[in-house]
Amino acid sequence: MLDAVNSNIFDKRFGDPDDTIAAVATPRGSGAVGIVRVSGPDAVSVVAKLFSPSSPSAPFPPPPRSLSLGFISDPASGSIIDQALVAFFPAPNSYTGDDTMEIYCHGGSLVTREILSASISAGARPALNGEFTCRAFLNGKLDLTQAESVNDIISSRNRPFLLSAVNQLSGSFGKKIKTLRSRLVDTLASIEVVLEYPEDNIDNPDRTALLSVLRDSVSELRNIMDSSASAHISNEPFNVVLIGKPNVGKSSLLNHMLDRDRAIVSDIPGTTRDVVSDLISTHGLDFLICDTAGITKTKDIIESIGIKKTIQVSQRADAIIAVFDGSSDFDVNDSETISIASIAPFSIAVINKSDLAQSLDTDSIYSAFPKDRIISASAKTGDGIPAVYEALLAHSEELFSFSADAPIINERNKISLLQSISSLEDCISNVDSAPDDILCVDLRAAIDQLGLITGENATNDILASVFANFCVGK
């Protein structure tokens, strides 16, 4: 375990580190395969009480990282639960760094629950949120940035974010922080040695060289902060809001984009009175498509509330699709639609109902939208809908475009980076005027904050907050 971490985090929040823990490592529900993970000093003996190899001559545990076929039975009753494969990952070459057994069974909820219950009866205890990854961290298998990237991978919603999270799992972000921290530790040591051994007449560090290290460190930390911004945003769905006056076909467009009837469609104006939204996943990106109440002047209280919500969600949109009825005349409600669409960072005009005779005066639309963002479509026939997708994809991919090397910085790491930068800037300001012991205080503060990011001096509270966000079984 890492010396910098107080192991009593287990005593207070995760039980004893010498416990053997077990959990279902696959999501709830039915599937082809389910996995039950058992890890700890008694992992082999726990699974030995459950598992009977199909071949009497098969060794147990099986050779490391190989599979053995057999049956899992309830140790109390002896009744068979399932036929399964078992794998052995001996310490320290396992995910957690402890002896680990994994049981690959059929993927039913009941099957995995029964095997987990049998494992607990055989001497394991239920694992808590993130306990396997926490043990990997404490056993030096991962630093804290890598541990957090495990959760980022699991929660990834968009391909760019996933690529960045996988890159971070390799240790790229942690290595940058550790290199910076090591350089500052060396700088601190060069100052402290003069303070601690004045009788040795050691020369004071060169102030020009000291300033160079400090300024370079601040610059590198700021670059990390700047490069991380788009990476952090990219795991959110791309928020697309459909707006337009009543009966222009917004709900039909939503249903066509979702390829199912999500919103009620009616010839009666004002059918949609609230925000109706759903997710579409395509090309490695998530889109949250929101249908809204029709924009119109009304005395109906409920409809008025719906229109206010339309404006509110439009203000938070990444993109607005302004829908117009090509078969009707342009009116004041269409003008209001254009006005609301103008507040979005990106907007598309869809002239709907292209399957009908066209009577819409489009001059105002062409004045308000770039020509390549004006699309003639029919939500009824599907004509033009692919062009709407293409426009959204082109913009979203541009918005979410960033290097896979860009680190994913959560709020915890952001605070530590900012505080480290602040301490280094204080040090720079004082380098020619403050005594060396004051400079050491600021340097230590910066070093400590960087250590919190990688976990080199993480507190119990920080570890508890990080791993509480994990699912059980990871």
Side-chain angles (χ1 to χ4, degrees):
M1 293 188 182
L2 298 181
D3 293 337
V5 180
N6 188 338
S7 64
N8 69 12
I9 181 172
F10 281 92
D11 299 334
K12 296 178 179 179
R13 301 164 206 195
F14 286 99
D16 193 309
D18 292 327
D19 284 350
T20 294
I21 56 175
V24 178
T26 42
R28 292 180 181 177
S30 299
V33 177
I35 301 174
V36 176
R37 176 179 285 168
V38 182
S39 185
D42 297 325
V44 173
S45 62
V46 166
V47 176
K49 296 174 185 177
L50 318 178
F51 182 70
S52 300
S54 295
S55 171
S57 62
F60 189 88
R65 292 167 294 282
S66 63
L67 296 171
S68 179
L69 177 66
F71 290 91
I72 300 292
S73 302
D74 185 325
S77 65
S79 60
I80 294 175
I81 299 172
D82 193 16
Q83 187 178 42
L85 293 166
V86 166
F88 176 45
F89 303 91
N93 300 315
S94 68
Y95 179 74
T96 62
D98 299 327
D99 280 351
T100 300
M101 300 289 296
E102 289 188 347
I103 301 168
Y104 307 98
C105 60
H106 293 95
S109 295
L110 178 60
V111 173
T112 52
R113 286 201 309 269
E114 289 289 317
I115 294 175
L116 175 60
S117 178
S119 301
I120 293 167
S121 297
R125 70 163 171 81
L128 301 181
N129 295 57
E131 190 168 2
F132 291 97
T133 303
C134 186
R135 288 193 175 189
F137 165 70
L138 291 169
N139 286 330
K141 305 291 289 185
L142 305 168
D143 69 24
L144 206 52
T145 65
Q146 292 172 294
E148 288 175 312
S149 72
V150 171
N151 210 28
D152 288 331
I153 290 170
I154 293 170
S155 63
S156 292
R157 308 184 66 142
N158 291 312
R159 186 183 297 130
F161 187 88
L162 173 61
L163 294 175
S164 187
V166 170
N167 186 60
Q168 196 152 305
L169 180 60
S170 72
S172 58
F173 179 39
K175 288 173 185 174
K176 288 179 182 178
I177 297 300
K178 288 174 183 176
T179 299
L180 272 166
R181 187 174 184 270
S182 177
R183 184 194 309 158
L184 294 175
V185 167
D186 290 343
T187 301
L188 176 63
S190 70
I191 299 172
E192 287 185 328
V193 71
V194 177
L195 293 173
E196 292 181 12
Y197 303 101
E199 68 279 5
D200 291 345
N201 296 318
I202 303 171
D203 292 336
N204 284 311
D206 179 74
R207 283 307 195 252
T208 301
L210 176 58
L211 273 172
S212 178
V213 170
L214 296 174
R215 286 170 177 159
D216 287 349
S217 298
V218 168
S219 176
E220 289 182 49
L221 290 171
R222 289 199 180 280
N223 286 339
I224 290 172
M225 293 281 293
D226 292 342
S227 67
S228 73
S230 61
H232 181 70
I233 292 169
S234 72
N235 203 34
E236 298 301 320
F238 191 73
N239 191 17
V240 181
V241 177
L242 302 170
I243 65 169
K245 67 185 181 185
N247 264 26
V248 295
K250 299 185 300 298
S251 297
S252 296
L253 183 59
L254 172 72
N255 289 342
H256 202 288
M257 294 178 76
L258 293 173
D259 198 26
R260 62 189 177 88
D261 292 337
R262 177 67 176 84
I264 296 172
V265 177
S266 168
D267 292 333
I268 302 171
T271 302
T272 302
R273 296 192 173 197
D274 203 349
V275 178
V276 179
S277 60
D278 214 330
L279 280 169
I280 301 173
S281 296
T282 182
H283 291 73
L285 296 168
D286 277 358
F287 294 88
L288 181 66
I289 313 293
C290 305
D291 183 20
T292 61
I295 298 165
T296 186
K297 302 293 183 183
T298 180
K299 293 182 180 179
D300 186 297
I301 295 175
I302 303 299
E303 194 171 12
S304 295
I305 293 171
I307 294 168
K308 286 181 181 179
K309 285 190 175 183
T310 297
I311 295 170
Q312 289 171 353
V313 297
S314 297
Q315 290 171 340
R316 300 191 298 268
D318 295 309
I320 284 178
I321 299 177
V323 186
F324 304 91
D325 183 351
S327 68
S328 67
D329 294 336
F330 190 91
D331 61 23
V332 65
N333 295 323
D334 292 312
S335 294
E336 182 64 16
T337 297
I338 291 174
S339 177
I340 294 172
S342 68
I343 68 176
F346 181 81
S347 58
I348 301 169
V350 172
I351 301 175
N352 193 28
K353 304 186 183 181
S354 62
D355 53 304
L356 302 177
Q358 300 295 286
S359 61
L360 182 69
D361 183 348
T362 59
D363 288 350
S364 296
I365 297 173
Y366 275 89
S367 296
F369 296 86
K371 188 176 180 180
D372 62 347
R373 294 191 205 162
I374 301 173
I375 299 167
S376 177
S378 170
K380 182 177 181 180
T381 67
D383 289 344
I385 303 301
V388 176
Y389 270 126
E390 288 171 10
L392 287 174
L393 283 168
H395 176 64
S396 60
E397 288 174 352
E398 179 182 338
L399 179 67
F400 290 155
S401 176
F402 65 94
S403 168
D405 292 334
I408 298 169
I409 296 179
N410 55 34
E411 193 62 26
R412 181 188 76 82
N413 291 335
K414 181 180 177 181
I415 291 170
S416 289
L417 286 169
L418 289 173
Q419 290 182 350
S420 184
I421 289 170
S422 177
S423 294
L424 290 174
E425 288 179 336
D426 287 344
C427 202
I428 290 169
S429 299
N430 297 327
V431 74
D432 290 324
S433 57
D436 285 351
D437 55 345
I438 298 299
L439 299 181
C440 289
V441 170
D442 290 328
L443 267 173
R444 282 194 203 97
I447 291 167
D448 287 346
Q449 289 299 324
L450 296 180
L452 292 179
I453 294 173
T454 58
E456 289 169 276
N457 58 321
T459 64
N460 289 346
D461 287 340
I462 286 175
L463 294 181
S465 68
V466 167
F467 293 108
N469 294 321
F470 280 61
C471 58
V472 174
K474 197 56 185 173

